[in-house]
Amino acid sequence: MDRAGNAGIIASFAIAFFGVAIGAFAAYVSEYGSVVQASKGSGAQVVLRDDPLNDAFYRQRQQIVQRVLASTPTERFAPPLENERLVAPSGEVERSDRPKIIIVFDDMGLDRELFDQVLGLPGPVTFSFLPYAHNAAELAQIARAQGAEIMLHLPMEPRGNEDPGPFALMSNMSGADFLEALEWNLSRLEGYVGVNNHMGSKLTADDAAMRTVLAYLRREGLFFLDSVTTGSSVVRSAGARVGADVIVRDVFLDATPGDKTEIRRQLALVEEIARETGYALAICHPRPETLEVLGPWLASAPQRGFELAPASTALAIQKNRKLQHIMAL
């Protein structure tokens, strides 16, 4: 990233951005790399080799998720190993011991008809709105009024030639331009509880850039959901170093647009992960084929023993498990 004239930029923006800009900019120009690896396939997930949070629950859960994602179709419903299932803890954070299923709809705000269809699904489901979508603020307000949880789908630089959209966060931006684009995006909606990346396979692998983003979100009281668009994501490691709340998706439901058979296979993975770890977090898009498959599946999920939940539930479970682990030491 362009670091020319950093001192001048910090000085000129100190008043405008106060301590947040200074702290974020310091993260932006610092250097640190986290080593990660990812499994292959449409459910690819990140496993950190270094664990700055020293989070036993996260490590154990990721081992289970990886086993499920790597399984063949005939193995996906095999019983878990005796000591591998994570038992849901008791407490106020989780209303029941039923496995939680979290569905996040990305790319919301571009199509009113599809928005209405998502709003009519059995829920709760979580809406993640593109900040540059013309009707994003209006539709987000409608969804909130219906009790849905809202997120902001933050455009970030991908690898390759795909266009992430206007005001996307790019690795070649100056510090001033980067912060200006970040603020523009975050100002487009109200009432959202978290942020997840739109594209971002390049930027989410940039530790300095992600520490800038995550430090800013921490100040705003927002969590970050890593969509995991790259096996080289450093989001969780960067979040740990700035004290930001980070959760990670487990499965993409419709990575192959229009393939209803693949969507059903991915939903089978979601169910297995939820049964074995207490919850599963899946991302999908407001596409006709996705809605056709997902509607009946969501409607019957409670009869199969699952509880539908918003994205923030994953963060609550994560914090509760960590607290229980600390208390048990």
Side-chain angles (χ1 to χ4, degrees), residues 37-153:
Q37 60 183 0
S39 67
K40 298 179 181 179
S42 56
Q45 182 60 283
V46 166
V47 179
L48 291 175
R49 291 176 184 167
D50 66 324
D51 185 12
L53 295 178
N54 193 26
D55 190 337
F57 165 68
Y58 177 83
R59 292 196 304 273
Q60 184 184 4
R61 185 176 187 277
Q62 286 302 93
Q63 290 173 357
I64 297 173
V65 170
Q66 288 304 305
R67 178 181 61 76
V68 173
L69 294 179
S71 65
T72 63
T74 57
E75 296 172 336
R76 285 178 179 170
F77 297 100
L81 300 178
E82 181 67 25
N83 62 347
E84 197 176 22
R85 184 186 299 273
L86 292 174
V87 179
S90 59
E92 296 182 0
V93 172
E94 297 173 79
R95 297 177 184 176
S96 76
D97 58 0
R98 289 183 294 166
K100 309 296 186 293
I101 289 179
I102 298 161
I103 305 293
V104 177
F105 275 90
D106 278 356
D107 295 355
M108 297 303 300
L110 297 176
D111 187 302
R112 177 58 189 264
E113 182 179 349
L114 290 174
F115 166 81
D116 288 337
Q117 291 181 40
V118 175
L119 196 62
L121 290 174
V125 298
T126 299
F127 293 68
S128 189
F129 287 90
L130 288 165
Y132 58 76
H134 179 66
N135 294 322
E138 174 191 352
L139 297 182
Q141 185 176 9
I142 293 171
R144 286 185 62 211
Q146 295 292 321
E149 187 167 87
I150 302 304
M151 294 182 62
L152 186 141
H153 199 29

Side-chain angles (χ1 to χ4, degrees), residues 3-296:
R3 296 173 174 80
N6 287 340
I9 292 172
I10 293 174
S12 62
F13 279 81
I15 295 176
F17 296 108
F18 296 96
V20 176
I22 296 174
F25 195 84
Y28 179 80
V29 299
S30 64
E31 296 293 341
Y32 180 82
S34 176
V35 181
V36 296
Q37 60 183 0
S39 67
K40 298 179 181 179
S42 56
Q45 182 60 283
V46 166
V47 179
L48 291 175
R49 291 176 184 167
D50 66 324
D51 185 12
L53 295 178
N54 193 26
D55 190 337
F57 165 68
Y58 177 83
R59 292 196 304 273
Q60 184 184 4
R61 185 176 187 277
Q62 286 302 93
Q63 290 173 357
I64 297 173
V65 170
Q66 288 304 305
R67 178 181 61 76
V68 173
L69 294 179
S71 65
T72 63
T74 57
E75 296 172 336
R76 285 178 179 170
F77 297 100
L81 300 178
E82 181 67 25
N83 62 347
E84 197 176 22
R85 184 186 299 273
L86 292 174
V87 179
S90 59
E92 296 182 0
V93 172
E94 297 173 79
R95 297 177 184 176
S96 76
D97 58 0
R98 289 183 294 166
K100 309 296 186 293
I101 289 179
I102 298 161
I103 305 293
V104 177
F105 275 90
D106 278 356
D107 295 355
M108 297 303 300
L110 297 176
D111 187 302
R112 177 58 189 264
E113 182 179 349
L114 290 174
F115 166 81
D116 288 337
Q117 291 181 40
V118 175
L119 196 62
L121 290 174
V125 298
T126 299
F127 293 68
S128 189
F129 287 90
L130 288 165
Y132 58 76
H134 179 66
N135 294 322
E138 174 191 352
L139 297 182
Q141 185 176 9
I142 293 171
R144 286 185 62 211
Q146 295 292 321
E149 187 167 87
I150 302 304
M151 294 182 62
L152 186 141
H153 199 29
L154 183 62
M156 293 183 174
E157 182 179 9
R159 297 190 186 279
N161 298 320
E162 290 185 275
D163 182 8
F167 290 93
L169 303 182
M170 310 293 285
S171 60
N172 62 354
M173 284 178 165
S174 69
D177 289 344
F178 192 91
L179 289 170
E180 182 180 0
L182 178 58
E183 286 211 327
W184 184 90
N185 282 287
L186 298 181
S187 69
R188 299 291 290 173
L189 300 179
E190 294 182 355
Y192 56 97
V193 299
V195 171
N196 72 317
N197 50 297
H198 172 57
M199 299 190 185
S201 54
K202 184 172 183 178
L203 200 82
T204 56
D206 185 324
D207 183 79
M210 288 314 303
R211 282 207 270 173
T212 299
V213 173
L214 294 167
Y216 204 106
L217 296 182
R218 178 179 180 272
R219 180 255 191 181
E220 298 296 320
L222 300 166
F223 66 81
F224 189 90
L225 163 59
D226 186 359
S227 300
V228 194
T229 56
T230 175
S232 299
S233 172
V234 296
V235 169
R236 190 168 182 273
S237 178
R241 286 165 174 80
V242 299
D245 289 327
V246 172
I247 55 177
V248 180
R249 70 98 181 143
D250 296 314
V251 176
F252 266 130
L253 296 182
D254 52 3
T256 305
D259 189 338
K260 292 188 283 188
T261 299
E262 179 63 19
I263 294 169
R264 293 187 181 97
R265 289 194 189 105
Q266 296 302 92
L267 286 171
L269 295 177
V270 169
E271 291 196 9
E272 188 70 2
I273 291 169
R275 288 191 187 99
E276 294 197 32
T277 73
Y279 77 92
L281 196 160
I283 289 177
C284 62
H285 301 85
R287 298 170 180 152
E289 297 83 3
T290 302
L291 295 170
E292 182 180 339
V293 174
L294 194 56

